[in-house]
Amino acid sequence: MMQLPATATLAQAGALLAQLDAAPDAIDASALVVFDTSTLALLLEARRRAAARGARLAVHGAPAKLRELARLYDVEELLSLEPT
């Protein structure tokens, strides 16, 4: 399981994207405090990679604000965000 850090913004996106090479099927988002739309892009890429392997991505511990952002961009169902 990949653990997202407290801060996951565009500045950290490259490093976080590199961690997706480990092909996680689950991501723990419970530590997220500061994030932006690049976090949604990262989660969508993780979902795409999991689907390419025939797996389903699970995002655990999604903070309410992340779920709200996903709802705003209409990707909440795609990401299957599980609340904290």
Side-chain angles (χ1 to χ4, degrees):
M1 177 183 297
M2 178 179 170
Q3 172 74 46
L4 291 180
T7 301
T9 62
L10 185 58
Q12 293 80 29
L16 292 171
L17 188 61
Q19 291 181 31
L20 292 182
D21 289 340
D25 288 338
I27 294 178
D28 182 350
S30 61
L32 277 176
V33 177
V34 178
F35 53 89
D36 57 20
T37 56
S38 65
T39 306
L40 290 180
L42 176 80
L43 293 173
L44 288 167
E45 176 61 15
R47 178 188 181 274
R48 185 194 67 76
R49 291 181 186 194
R53 294 188 322 276
R56 183 175 180 271
L57 177 71
V59 181
H60 304 285
K65 288 186 179 186
L66 180 63
R67 294 190 319 274
E68 289 172 23
L69 188 62
R71 191 172 18 259
L72 177 68
Y73 283 89
D74 200 26
V75 296
E76 186 177 33
E77 284 187 31
L78 288 174
L79 294 175
S80 301
L81 301 175
E82 298 175 10
T84 54

